Amino acid sequence: MVKAGLEDIVAGTSSICNVDGKEGRLIYQGYDIHDLAEHSTFEEVVYLLWFGRMPNKSELEAIDKGLKTNRKIHDDVVKAMRGFPKDALPMEVLRTAVSMLSMYDPDDREEGIEANIRKATRLTAQVPTVVAYWDNIRTGKECLAPREDLSIAGNFLYMLTGKEPDELATKSIDVALILHADHELNASTFAARVAASTLSDFHSAITAAIGTLKGKLHGGANQEVIEMLLKIKDPAKTMPHVKKMIEEHKKISGFGHRVYKTEDPRATHLRKMSEELGKVKNELKWFEMSREIEQFILKEKGLYANVDFYSASVYYMLGIPTDLFTPVFAISRMSGWSAHVLEQYQDNRLIRPRAEYVGANNLKYAPVSSR
Ligand SMILES: CC(C)(COP(=O)(O)OP(=O)(O)OC[C@H]1O[C@@H](n2cnc3c(N)ncnc32)[C@H](O)[C@@H]1OP(=O)(O)O)[C@@H](O)C(=O)NCCC(=O)NCCS
């Protein structure tokens, strides 16, 4: 029987990530997300996802160095970005820039595992630069050279704002990057694996993934959430607004999930972060409005908040422009996409499912003059 949206269909094996939708657990290569969010760093998680185990000290230093020294993007790509329409969507720019970067990658025509790991390293290092530079270009700010003394999270904030990133913001982004790093065969990862399975190149697979993440049923949901909160603005109007949306059978972004039928473990962390940031920044209203919506939607629709619901208020309070929320998701998911593309290449078979034909049969061609 055909299942719309391939719901619950197991489409392959993978040792990268396990999503337990019943228990609400998320595991990267055997490690629980709660453990990683509390103790690890994004750079360590990148290694874990790509190599299947935690790095030792020298391995961590090596991957960290690769992720720090490859941040610069080719001048031609920056030049092309300067020529893009200033109202281009950041996800459009990211998709196009990543596609362009393949032509400047020194391993462009190399297909071996080592070359693909180098490509994964470069792209994971470069995607934050593209996102920050686009915001600089469209707002007329200087594109600062990436720094090699900061983590991915810290350097992204530095390039975006031009200021020394504070510890709380860096830590918050770092944890958000860990939480979004991988999620099994989500739509964008599946798209990447399908592209890789044709033995197309690494950048093509990532470009397909970025285009897929952009949709509002997937990574685009976090931007939709903040737009809803900003539209409501006045906490007293929260419930009337949300009730109206439900009455009109509109979907509330940031709720529901194809796999989780209980609390999304990533939302647990982001909810806490949203509350803590709200207190520190004296902007608790975003958390409070979110909490009210969350409790109502759970009671009314039985739907839980997903990763995108509280990440919206977290990013907003960190001063990230709202249309960069999905690109920030992409900065993180670069690690998971890369892991899956590498895994796909390692034991490849073309992904080519079938469709159940429900169209017409036995029609006869008639010339256009007689139609
Ligand atoms: C995530 C999502 C795409 C999963 O989709 P899915 O498994 O195909 O589930 P469906 O869209 O078929 O939804 C099943 C039912 O729940 C309802 N529903 C699901 N998510 C809902 C939401 N966010 N708000 C209101 N109703 C929702 C649907 O309307 C549908 O109701 P119906 O059976 O009465 O028609 C879906 O929950 C959604 O659109 N959420 C909002 C976007 C979002 O936050 N995406 C990020 C995911 S991490």
Side-chain angles (χ1 to χ4, degrees), residues 216-218 221 251-252 254-258 301 303 306 308:
K216 69 177 176 185
L217 294 186
H218 191 6
K251 275 189 170 175
I252 317 285
F255 286 92
H257 199 274
R258 178 58 70 74
K301 303 278 297 178
L303 292 168
N306 59 46
D308 293 302

Side-chain angles (χ1 to χ4, degrees), residues 112-358:
I113 173 81
E114 295 301 327
N116 280 323
I117 290 172
R118 288 194 294 274
K119 290 185 213 181
T121 307
R122 284 188 203 107
L123 267 190
T124 306
Q126 289 165 347
V127 161
T129 311
V130 172
V131 176
Y133 276 17
W134 177 244
D135 196 59
N136 299 154
I137 289 168
R138 69 178 176 171
T139 55
K141 286 192 286 195
E142 191 189 345
C143 290
L144 297 166
R147 282 183 32 191
E148 291 184 7
D149 60 326
L150 296 172
S151 65
I152 289 186
N155 177 63
F156 171 65
L157 288 168
Y158 163 74
M159 287 190 299
L160 184 67
T161 62
K163 295 186 201 128
E164 195 66 32
D166 70 62
E167 223 172 275
L168 176 65
T170 307
K171 179 69 189 157
S172 303
I173 293 290
D174 192 60
V175 174
L177 295 181
I178 293 172
L179 295 173
H180 289 79
D182 196 48
H183 216 231
E184 195 220 37
L185 282 194
N186 59 90
S188 56
T189 302
F190 191 55
R193 288 193 78 131
V194 170
S197 84
T198 70
L199 295 184
S200 187
D201 64 286
F202 192 88
H203 286 70
S204 294
I206 301 300
T207 305
I210 294 171
T212 309
L213 185 73
K214 181 173 173 284
K216 69 177 176 185
L217 294 186
H218 191 6
N222 53 14
Q223 184 179 338
E224 297 274 321
V225 173
I226 197 62
E227 281 167 1
M228 175 180 73
L229 294 177
L230 291 171
K231 197 167 163 196
I232 299 173
K233 203 169 156 197
D234 176 0
K237 295 192 177 137
T238 308
M239 286 331 296
H241 184 97
V242 173
K243 281 181 180 164
K244 189 160 174 280
M245 283 181 80
I246 294 293
E247 272 163 30
E248 290 169 358
H249 302 289
K250 287 191 179 143
K251 275 189 170 175
I252 317 285
S253 287
F255 286 92
H257 199 274
R258 178 58 70 74
V259 184
Y260 293 120
K261 300 303 165 213
T262 179
E263 167 128 333
D264 178 335
R266 303 165 299 176
T268 314
H269 286 272
L270 289 156
R271 182 192 297 115
K272 205 165 133 225
M273 285 162 73
S274 172
E275 184 173 17
E276 282 167 7
L277 273 170
K279 285 181 186 157
V280 174
K281 306 260 177 197
N282 215 3
E283 280 192 83
L284 207 53
K285 86 166 189 181
W286 305 114
F287 167 75
E288 286 169 349
M289 286 163 76
S290 303
R291 190 77 182 120
E292 210 182 343
I293 298 171
E294 184 187 23
Q295 283 164 343
F296 174 75
I297 297 292
L298 182 58
K299 196 163 148 258
E300 196 70 12
K301 303 278 297 178
L303 292 168
Y304 291 85
N306 59 46
V307 69
D308 293 302
F309 190 61
Y310 282 101
S311 64
S313 48
V314 166
Y315 296 157
Y316 184 73
M317 286 188 275
L318 291 174
I320 295 175
T322 53
D323 61 358
L324 294 194
F325 287 14
T326 311
V328 171
F329 191 153
I331 290 173
S332 164
R333 193 53 64 82
M334 251 320 296
S335 59
W337 291 331
S338 302
H340 281 270
V341 172
L342 294 169
E343 188 180 57
Q344 184 66 39
Y345 285 143
Q346 286 292 82
D347 186 19
N348 187 57
R349 188 151 191 242
L350 177 72
I351 299 174
R352 202 293 188 200
R354 294 296 314 270
E356 185 181 301
Y357 181 68
V358 292

